[in-house]
């Protein structure tokens, strides 16, 4: 039965606090109960709730622990340095992912602010190199007869020239390139474009297609492009035999969809859009290659157009595709924009059309009066914005005046989705050109759209600027690189205007709401002769697959290549590289004017981009990340010592100070370490570190796949060169921080604390040190982690992964670099992988030392010195299990492995320990297995925090709980060892030829290690396991103080365990301790123990306390519980006896109430529940039950237990007892005479039938029963008073007393007619308490008194007769006594005198009893030696 749990602080058995009882309703009706009286003695110290410090049994640990009590609030879990650093990196990566989308800072309205610096240090692009067109190409170019054209295939690093009907390609980055020619065109080439092929049409080696349009046909040429060792592209051309006639359509616009491979083209002949379809083979309904007009319906799409019918009409001048939204845009010569939806593999329905006039009308309402937007400034270029880059913006159009118009689109389903096609195209933002010398400025505040009145002014607009007038072409590349060609003069001279978003300023917009409507953009002018085309020669930029975070160039500075643009002119190709912020910072240091010195340049940079970004840039430069174009036109790292030293000084001197969080409340006015915000130096370091790790941090380590044969294939998710590059950068960072520790506040160590002026400064330095040191620690761990990953993929990674357990294999499949570096799960997996690597190399014949040494050199934290020892021990275990190994050698190997594993016990994982334990069990090395497990448990919790957590009540959310769980896992392994050793001992004999068998010795060794262990938690686990298996007898045989500790603790919560504790003490002859436990159980209120069981416990306790203790000479000191002296045995015995008496009284009350008809049946269960449980106090039993229920005999017993001696109350209780019995018997007889059932009597007891007896007989029986219980107390059983009350009862009730001859004869008494009263005291059990002389004295007193009711003759006659009768019995009993009749001559003389006076009374003479008395008198006198 579950024990009741007290809500208060638990105490040990016997230490129950006294608590006030609630108001209780009496169990009896007012009609039948007496007034509720309070005993004047109170509880008398006899109640079970009174504290008895000398008898109580304290818990072995000083107090009991209640496992069901609510745990105290758990302290906040402190983070390790690695966890703290990992959180910092994750926060920075998340912050980078929240970089504002272009929709955020390009809001509705107009803008025209540009940052165009005169210093080349701040230019957004840097010229790299100019590549001249090869001489052989120029030679062919000069020999052209009909037409020539130049172009770029920048994505494959090639340029092309079309001369008449021939096409030539060359690698423009090569100093002496090979020229590839295609000369199979039948007519003059009019347009060339590079596109992606349709999937599945060509072999995989064909990566691109060249679409060649001539005056007669359009054809496809296959291109196989591969990377070569020089970092450039190798291109091969292949004939496809795919061509179709154009029917004299003059094609000058070709575009392809990279996603679907569809090819579209248009020309000057008409305003139609055509598609070039192609497939592998001809089919019944479609040729291998065909031309389809997508803007005509039905059969008209296949009818050739009349090249002369559209002369003078509008035509298409530009085609662009947005694969992210499946949209094709067409720009007509009239500046109308049409949008088509790429649906399926062949459909191209038109979604909408915006005429130039409608666009101009909308511009009039959205922009101020200006001179750069009018009907004479047509649209010259279209540039789509992908859905990954912008959610609302779809398209950018550039006017001939350089004005950029951004359109927001609405599709059929929702803004910026790829659902049903574009349904609306509205102007969202207008970007004016940069100002020139003649432009006028208009405030942009009046241009803000409605609903944004609170937006701050964004500056001034140059609405009359002609800086970009005569723009011929423009190009836009992600994430906003804009280039336009502006004609200057009539001789082919032009300027190129570059712009790029300023990512650092955009990133700061979230901290500065005043910049919401600004578009931070840096501009740059370049003079160039006859620019023809711009191409992006690198992968399109994308920092994120979604608009938020997409344009974050800061985050990708170190893990993505720098964007490069190639500009083609009629004589050369010039490449420009995008300058990263780190490059700008380095250039600022090197090329800055230094008008205010280096500090001024740094402050200017920090004012523009913020101090953390400045520090991050300085750290990157100091670590060698900055690059520049060298004298040989190659991009190289900046190694100028002056620049590096300046960057170092910036990081050290301008890193700022940690500050207290102003929003936090400080106790005592001093912030805690967690309320300190680290310095900008820490922020900069975190930024730089997160950017180095960005590409790998959350990436998986490996990718699973299938070979063509179906076998498992595992490849690295991040290439080895990529990992090695990041590792090199991290090593440089680590070296920089270590080399400059003494100069960096927060890394200089304890010496810096001496410079703290205040307590707050000291706390700030501690917080800074913790923050910086955590990042430094993480850097070192990541370096080694990457080394480990590289080692892993140098091995046969498939075999290694397959050798892992299934659970570990699943973990490895989803393991990321972050989890490998920073989590315990990653560390555990790494250990599994190291073990697999070592085992694989050992199996291949390699020496274990060489393998582990190699691993330690490259990734020491993943294969430490302890790991090497573990591997050696495992190798010895495997050798010991070899059947060819002799028994002696095997035993030595097992002992050696145990020694090795013991040395590194603190480093063993649970799996390694399990493996070793299984090996030891298989080798029957049981004692070694137990010893190793116990050693591991202790070494991994050397502070014994698990035991402290257990003793503290197992609080929730406590860091110590993990140590407890780890210990329990270890101890559970010992269970398997014990089962194995028991099974081995059972299956073999104990002795052979008088010698112990090996099995018996192993059994003894194992149990010796188990039982002699000093690990208390282990014993607790072991004993719980014993009891859970029903092995209580085994626990009784263990002689250890831990058993007492365990059972004492459990006794507070388990009745069975408490009972077992008493048995344990008795089994080991600790009887007093056993009595104390049983005494505590009898008093316990924590367990639902019936009253009968409590009485049983008290009976056993009294028996044990009565037995002389055996421990240490019977001195009363326990040898099992030596730390606690025993209570005095006699005092314990006395208190047990007192409580047993009290329990007996309560048992009597309980039995009476169960049969008391005065108590309603509905109330009996609740009353019984109160009585059949904890032992109540005397006060409660008397007032609420005994006195209230008129149980007068029980009241007398309570008087005796309480040592209550008030004669008046005692006499009153005896008198009430006689009257209640008389009333009960008479009522029962009346019921019986009337034929009614007679219920059991609560007054007389359930074992008496009052209906068949006379009242005086029942009174006599009750006097005898009560006398047997309390007769030894003269105060409670006053013989004279009781004798007087008996005669009074007989006289007042006029009882007719028959002769009781048979009754007296049974006890050797002569028959008498009227001798009821003396007979009660002359036969057992009262005869053993009183002698006849005491009764004679009581009767003598009644003989002489003349008070009512003893004045009448009948009453005096009764007393006289009983007195003579009693004297005669006294004489008969002492006639042969050695000391003489009636106790000696003097006593006999007095008795003779009394008898003489009785015989001389008038009652004796009248009744004629003189003869009987005379004979007795003579006999008495004769016994006195003749004295008369």
């Amino acid at each position: 039965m579950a024990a009741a749990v007290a809500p208060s602080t638990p105490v040990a058995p016997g230490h129950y606090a006294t608590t006030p009882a609630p108001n209780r309703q009496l169990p009896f009706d007012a009609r039948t109960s007496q007034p509720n009286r309070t005993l004047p003695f109170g509880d008398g110290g006899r109640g079970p709730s009174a504290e008895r410090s000398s008898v109580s049994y304290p818990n072995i640990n000083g107090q009991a622990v209640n496992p069901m009590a609510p745990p105290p609030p758990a302290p906040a879990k402190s983070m390790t340095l690695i966890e703290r650093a990992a959180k910092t990196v994750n926060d920075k990566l998340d912050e980078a992912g929240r970089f504002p989308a272009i929709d955020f800072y390009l809001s509705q309205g107009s803008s025209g602010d540009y940052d165009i610096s005169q210093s080349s240090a701040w230019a957004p692009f840097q010229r790299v190199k100019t590549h001249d067109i090869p001489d052989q190409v120029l030679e062919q170019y000069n020999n052209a007869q009909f037409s020539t054209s130049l172009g770029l295939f920048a994505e494959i690093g090639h340029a092309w020239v079309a001369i008449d009907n021939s096409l030539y390609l060359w690698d423009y980055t090569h100093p002496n390139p090979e020229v590839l020619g295609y000369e199979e065109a039948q007519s003059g080439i009019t347009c060339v474009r590079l596109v992606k092929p349709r999937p599945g049409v060509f072999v995989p080696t064909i990566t691109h297609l060249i679409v060649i349009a001539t005056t007669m046909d359009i054809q496809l040429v296959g291109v196989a492009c591969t990377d070569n060792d020089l970092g450039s592209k190798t291109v091969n051309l292949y004939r496809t035999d795919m061509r179709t006639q154009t029917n004299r359509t003059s094609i000058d616009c070709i575009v392809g969809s990279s996603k679907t491979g569809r090819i579209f083209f248009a020309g000057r002949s008409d305003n139609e859009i055509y598609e070039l379809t192609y497939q592998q083979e001809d089919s019944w309904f479609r040729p291998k290659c065909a031309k389809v007009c997508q803007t005509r319906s039905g059969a008209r799409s296949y009818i050739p157009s009349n090249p002369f019918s559209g002369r003078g009409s509008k035509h298409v001048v530009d085609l662009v595709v947005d694969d992210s939204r499946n949209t094709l845009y067409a720009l007509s010569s009239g500046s109308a924009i049409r949008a088509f939806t790429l649906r399926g593999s062949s459909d191209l329905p038109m979604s909408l059309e915006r005429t130039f006039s409608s666009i101009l009308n909308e511009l009039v309402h959205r922009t101020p009066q200006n001179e750069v937007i009018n009907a004479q400034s047509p649209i010259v270029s279209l540039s789509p914005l992908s859905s990954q880059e912008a959610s609302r913006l779809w398209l950018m159009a550039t006017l001939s005046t350089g004005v950029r118009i951004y359109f927001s689109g609405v599709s059929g389903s929702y803004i910026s989705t790829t659902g049903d096609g574009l349904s609306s195209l509205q102007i969202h933002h207008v970007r004016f050109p940069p100002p020139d010398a003649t432009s006028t400025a208009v405030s942009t505040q009046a241009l803000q759209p409605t609903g944004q009145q609170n937006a701050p002014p964004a500056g001034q607009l140059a609405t009359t600027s002609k800086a970009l007038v005569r723009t011929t072409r423009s190009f836009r590349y992600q994430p906003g690189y804009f280039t336009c060609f502006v004609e200057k003069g009539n001789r082919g001279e032009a300027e190129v205007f570059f712009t790029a978003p300023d990512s650092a300023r955009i990133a700061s917009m979230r901290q500065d709401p005043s910049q919401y409507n600004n578009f931070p953009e840096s501009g740059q002018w370049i003079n160039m002769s006859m620019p023809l085309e711009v191409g992006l020669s690198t992968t399109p930029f994308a920092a994120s697959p979604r608009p938020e975070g997409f344009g974050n160039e800061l985050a990708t500075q170190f893990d993505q290549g720098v964007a490069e643009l190639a500009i083609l002119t009629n004589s050369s190709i010039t490449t420009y590289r995008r300058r990263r912020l780190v490059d700008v910072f380095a250039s600022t240091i090197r090329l800055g004017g230094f008008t205010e010195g280096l500090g001024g340049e740094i402050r200017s940079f920090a004012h523009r981009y913020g101090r953390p970004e400045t520090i991050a840039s300085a750290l990157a430069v100091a670590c060698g990340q900055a690059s520049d174009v060298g004298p040989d036109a190659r991009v190289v790292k900046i190694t100028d010592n002056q620049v590096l030293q300046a960057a170092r000084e910036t990081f050290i001197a301008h890193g700022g100070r940690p500050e207290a969080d102003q929003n936090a409340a400080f106790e005592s006015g001093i912030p805690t370490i967690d309320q300190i915000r680290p310095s900008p130096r820490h922020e900069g370091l975190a930024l730089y570190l997160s950017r180095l790790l960005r590409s790998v941090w959350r990436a998986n380590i490996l990718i699973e796949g299938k070979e063509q044969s179906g076998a498992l294939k595992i490849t690295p998710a991040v290439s080895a060169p990529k990992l090695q590059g990041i590792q090199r950068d991290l090593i440089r960072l680590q070296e920089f921080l270590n080399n400059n520790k003494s100069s960096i506040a927060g890394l200089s160590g304890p010496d810096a604390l001496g410079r703290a002026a205040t307590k707050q400064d000291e706390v700030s330095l501690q917080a800074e040190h913790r923050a910086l040191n955590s990042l430094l620690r993480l850097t070192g761990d990541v370096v080694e982690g990457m080394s480990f990953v590289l080692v892993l993929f140098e091995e046969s990674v498939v075999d290694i992964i397959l050798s892992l357990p299934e659970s570990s294999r699943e973990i490895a499949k989803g393991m990321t670099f972050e989890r490998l570096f920073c989590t315990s799960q990653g560390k555990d997996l790494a250990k599994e992988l190291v073990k697999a690597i070592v085992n694989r190399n050992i199996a291949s014949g390699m020496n274990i030392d060489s393998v582990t040494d190699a691993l330690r050199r490259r990734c020491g934290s993943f294969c430490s010195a302890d790991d090497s020892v573990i591997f050696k021990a495992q190798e010895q275990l495997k050798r010991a299990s070899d059947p060819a190994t002799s028994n002696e050698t095997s035993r030595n190997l097992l002992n050696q492995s145990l020694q090795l594993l013991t040395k590194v016990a603190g480093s063993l994982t649970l799996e390694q320990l399990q493996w070793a334990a299984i090996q030891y069990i298989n080798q029957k090395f049981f004692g070694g297995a137990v010893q190793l497990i116990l050693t591991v448990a202790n070494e991994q919790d050397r502070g014994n925090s698990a035991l402290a957590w257990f003793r503290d009540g197992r609080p929730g959310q406590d860091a110590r709980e993990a140590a407890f769980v780890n210990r329990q896992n270890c101890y559970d392994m010992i269970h398997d060892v014990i089962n194995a050793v028991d099974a081995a001992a059972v299956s073999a004999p104990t002795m052979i030829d008088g010698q112990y068998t090996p099995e018996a010795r192993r059994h003894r060794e194992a149990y010796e290690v188990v039982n002699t262990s000093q690990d208390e938690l282990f014993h607790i686990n072991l004993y719980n396991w014993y009891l859970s298996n029903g092995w209580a007898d085994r626990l009784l045989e263990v002689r250890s103080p831990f058993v007492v500790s365990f059972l004492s603790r459990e006794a507070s919560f388990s009745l069975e365990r408490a009972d077992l504790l008493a048995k344990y003490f008795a089994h080991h002859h600790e009887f007093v301790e056993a009595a104390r436990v049983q005494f505590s159980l009898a008093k316990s209120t924590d367990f639902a123990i019936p009253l009968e069981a409590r009485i049983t416990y008290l009976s056993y306790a009294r028996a044990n306390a009565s037995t002389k203790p055996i421990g240490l000479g019977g001195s009363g000191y326990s040898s099992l519980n030596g730390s606690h002296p025993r209570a005095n045995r006699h005092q314990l015995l006395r208190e047990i006896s007192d409580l047993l008496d009290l329990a007996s009284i309560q048992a009597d009350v309980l039995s009476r109430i169960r049969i008391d008809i005065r108590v309603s049946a509905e109330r009996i269960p609740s009353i019984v529940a109160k009585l059949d449980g904890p032992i109540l106090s005397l006060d409660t039993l008397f007032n609420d039950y005994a006195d209230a229920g008129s149980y007068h005999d029980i009241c007398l017993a309570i008087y005796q237990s309480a040592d209550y001696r008030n004669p008046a109350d005692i006499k009153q209780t005896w008198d009430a007892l006689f009257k209640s019995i008389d009333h009960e018997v008479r009522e029962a007889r009346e019921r019986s005479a009337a034929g009614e059932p007679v219920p059991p009597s609560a007054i007389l007891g359930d074992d008496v039938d009052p209906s068949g007896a006379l009242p005086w007989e029942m009174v006599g029986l009750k006097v005898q029963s009560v006398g047997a219980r309390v007769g030894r107390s003269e105060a409670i059983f006053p013989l004279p008073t009781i004798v007087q009350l008996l005669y009074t009862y007989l006289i007042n009730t006029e009882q007719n007393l028959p002769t009781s001859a048979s009754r007296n004869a049974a006890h050797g008494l002569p028959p008498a007619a009227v001798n009821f009263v003396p007979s009660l005291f002359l036969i057992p059990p009262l005869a053993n308490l009183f002698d006849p002389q005491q009764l004679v004295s009581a009767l003598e007193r009644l003989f002489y008194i003349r008070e009512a009711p003893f004045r009448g003759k009948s009453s005096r006659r009764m007393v006289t007769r009983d007195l003579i009768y009693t004297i005669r019995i006294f004489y008969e009993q002492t006639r042969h006594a050695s000391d003489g009749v009636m106790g000696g001559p003097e006593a006999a003389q007095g008795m003779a005198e009394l008898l003489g006076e009785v015989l001389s009374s008038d009652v004796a003479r009248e009744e004629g009893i003189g003869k009987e008395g005379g004979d007795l008198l003579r006999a008495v006198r004769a016994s006195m030696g003749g004295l008369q």
Side-chain angles (χ1 to χ4, degrees), residues 812-977:
K813 185 187 301 184
M815 181 59 64
T816 63
F817 284 90
E818 175 195 359
R819 291 166 58 195
L820 177 68
F821 300 149
C822 306
T823 65
S824 58
Q825 186 185 56
K827 299 294 184 184
D828 294 339
L829 177 63
K831 290 183 181 296
E832 289 278 353
L833 293 171
V834 168
K835 179 181 177 182
I837 292 172
V838 172
N839 291 337
R840 182 177 178 277
N841 283 275
I842 293 175
S844 62
M846 295 186 65
N847 181 270
I848 187 172
D849 291 331
S850 61
V851 175
T852 55
D853 289 345
L855 286 172
R856 288 177 59 190
R857 283 194 305 270
R858 298 188 62 179
C859 45
S861 63
F862 289 84
C863 183
S864 62
D866 288 351
D867 294 330
S868 301
V869 175
I870 293 171
F871 292 137
K872 291 179 183 178
Q874 290 174 342
E875 184 182 25
Q876 289 177 339
L877 276 175
K878 292 179 181 178
R879 289 172 55 195
S881 62
D882 190 346
T885 306
S886 64
N887 291 336
E888 183 178 357
T889 303
S890 176
R891 197 71 176 180
N892 290 334
L893 289 171
L894 290 173
N895 284 317
Q896 292 173 12
S897 68
L898 178 60
Q899 293 176 0
L900 291 174
L901 292 175
T902 301
K903 291 180 181 178
V904 295
S907 301
L908 286 177
T909 64
L910 186 64
E911 291 74 16
Q912 291 170 335
L913 181 60
Q914 287 176 334
W915 182 86
I918 292 173
Q919 296 300 316
Y920 284 149
I921 292 173
N922 293 337
Q923 298 297 315
K924 298 183 178 180
F925 192 40
F926 304 116
V930 176
Q931 185 62 54
L932 175 61
I933 295 171
L934 290 175
T935 303
V936 170
N938 289 323
E939 286 297 319
Q940 294 184 353
D941 181 27
R942 303 187 70 176
N944 221 355
S945 60
L947 181 60
W949 177 78
F950 179 80
R951 287 177 173 175
D952 289 345
R954 305 184 183 188
Q957 302 298 322
D958 195 306
R960 298 174 295 175
E961 184 178 3
F964 178 83
V965 172
N966 183 64
R967 278 185 175 266
Q968 297 303 307
N969 292 333
C970 293
Y971 300 150
D972 290 345
M973 297 183 202
I974 299 180
H975 303 168
D976 298 331
V977 180

Side-chain angles (χ1 to χ4, degrees), residues 114 286 545 752 804 806 869 1238 1347:
Y114 294 85
R286 180 176 295 178
L804 297 177
E806 184 63 30
V869 175
V1238 180
E1347 299 174 358

Side-chain angles (χ1 to χ4, degrees), residues 7 112 201 230 241 264 382 384 418 461 687 808 881 935 1018 1050 1148 1178-1179 1183 1187 1371:
V201 177
L230 299 177
D241 293 332
F264 304 95
L382 297 179
T418 58
L461 292 180
L687 282 173
S808 299
S881 62
T935 303
F1018 163 63
E1050 295 292 316
D1148 290 341
L1178 285 173
D1179 187 44
N1183 289 318
D1187 188 48
Y1371 170 77

